Amino acid sequence: RFEAERQALALMDHPGIARVLDAGETQTGQPYFVMELVDGEPVTDHCDRNELSIPARLDLFVQICSAVQHAHTKGIIHRDIKPSNVLVSVLDGQARAKVIDFGIAKATGGNLTDRTLFTGHRQLIGTPEYMRPEQAEGSLDIDTRTDVYALGVLLYELLTGSTPFESSHLRSAAFAEIARIIREVEPPSPSSRLVESAATLATVAARRRTEPRRLSSALRGELDWIVMKALEKERQRRYETANGLAMDVKRYLAGEPVTAAPPSKVY
């Protein structure tokens, strides 16, 4: 996996992805690579600590989608997009997101290394809260829409402060139950999750520089539609690309109709 990550990073050149500067082996045969130092913090921590508004969080999310899209154009699927793998630094007063940790990345056009990658029997590859239905069922048939799903989970968390499935519930379950929940259970929409989390709604809203009622109203409708389209169980119903997801977020920010909306003359 070390060799595969080095090869994946070497393929990419994007300001939103940490760069590889050098690689090789020590005299004793230990492999190494020299990587750009990313002096940042997880995207959710950055957003909450600075109490970023919903539009500011969406701007950062578009940056993340751009980096993931670049990886996809190079034939690389990340497979483990989550807040701790998206670090945010502030440069010249501007927040900049960088995607890191391509340790379990998969190449769509071939192998990243000629060495064999072994996975233990019934071992989950990735993080349960961000795992896609096709990963949960152990399918080897994954594509870029696997990362689109994880981006949907990340957006859900940026908006609501929680993941679609509660961490405590998932991590207390057995392997088979975790996989079943991810494959079969429909999560609540972001606005519905806020209603369920009434006890923490005031805190969540304050971290987004708004009032509880206004936050619920802001998420209801288009942002709900965008997130839930990214989280579709069936891949063909999700956004086809990370860029497609980003474009819908941009449309929302610009006050334009989003493609995730159910078609109607009124809309």
Side-chain angles (χ1 to χ4, degrees), residues 168-224:
S168 58
H169 179 51
L170 274 185
R171 292 182 179 271
S172 64
F175 175 94
E177 178 62 6
I178 292 173
R180 187 197 67 80
I181 291 170
I182 295 169
R183 289 195 317 268
E184 301 175 9
V185 177
E186 289 294 338
S189 66
S191 62
S192 298
R193 170 51 59 83
L194 290 181
V195 173
E196 293 178 359
S197 308
T200 59
L201 178 55
T203 300
V204 171
R207 287 175 175 166
R208 288 149 183 80
R209 297 193 183 188
T210 189
E211 300 171 358
R213 184 177 300 177
R214 288 188 175 183
L215 178 59
S216 297
S217 177
L219 301 193
R220 193 175 302 114
E222 292 167 321
L223 288 178
D224 273 346

Side-chain angles (χ1 to χ4, degrees), residues 39 46 63 88-96:
D39 185 15
H46 172 85
Q63 287 186 36
V88 178
S89 308
V90 178
L91 303 172
D92 299 325
Q94 296 292 319
R96 294 284 181 256

Side-chain angles (χ1 to χ4, degrees), residues 32-53:
Y32 71 86
F33 61 81
V34 182
M35 184 177 170
E36 171 189 3
L37 173 64
V38 182
D39 185 15
E41 59 184 334
V43 60
T44 47
D45 292 350
H46 172 85
C47 290
D48 287 350
R49 187 173 60 80
N50 292 282
E51 296 183 350
L52 295 191
S53 65

Side-chain angles (χ1 to χ4, degrees), residues 73-197:
T73 62
K74 298 294 184 179
I76 303 296
I77 304 169
H78 189 285
R79 292 205 299 177
D80 198 22
I81 295 169
K82 56 185 178 182
S84 60
N85 284 340
V86 180
L87 302 184
V88 178
S89 308
V90 178
L91 303 172
D92 299 325
Q94 296 292 319
R96 294 284 181 256
K98 273 190 191 291
V99 178
I100 64 168
D101 195 354
F102 282 77
I104 61 170
K106 178 178 176 63
T108 58
N111 294 323
L112 290 168
T113 173
D114 56 4
R115 302 179 185 186
T116 302
L117 297 180
F118 290 101
T119 301
H121 178 56
R122 296 178 70 81
Q123 177 182 340
L124 287 173
I125 294 296
T127 305
E129 294 87 341
Y130 288 80
M131 189 159 299
R132 300 39 121 198
E134 58 269 25
Q135 275 184 283
E137 65 187 15
S139 173
L140 297 177
D141 177 26
I142 65 171
D143 58 26
T144 54
R145 290 169 295 184
T146 290
D147 282 347
V148 168
Y149 182 96
L151 286 168
V153 180
L154 178 58
L155 180 55
Y156 194 111
E157 188 168 6
L158 288 171
L159 295 174
T160 70
S162 61
T163 51
F165 300 112
E166 292 287 356
S167 296
S168 58
H169 179 51
L170 274 185
R171 292 182 179 271
S172 64
F175 175 94
E177 178 62 6
I178 292 173
R180 187 197 67 80
I181 291 170
I182 295 169
R183 289 195 317 268
E184 301 175 9
V185 177
E186 289 294 338
S189 66
S191 62
S192 298
R193 170 51 59 83
L194 290 181
V195 173
E196 293 178 359
S197 308

Side-chain angles (χ1 to χ4, degrees), residues 17-28:
I17 296 175
R19 292 177 295 125
V20 166
L21 306 175
D22 193 14
E25 287 190 357
T26 66
Q27 291 182 344
T28 57

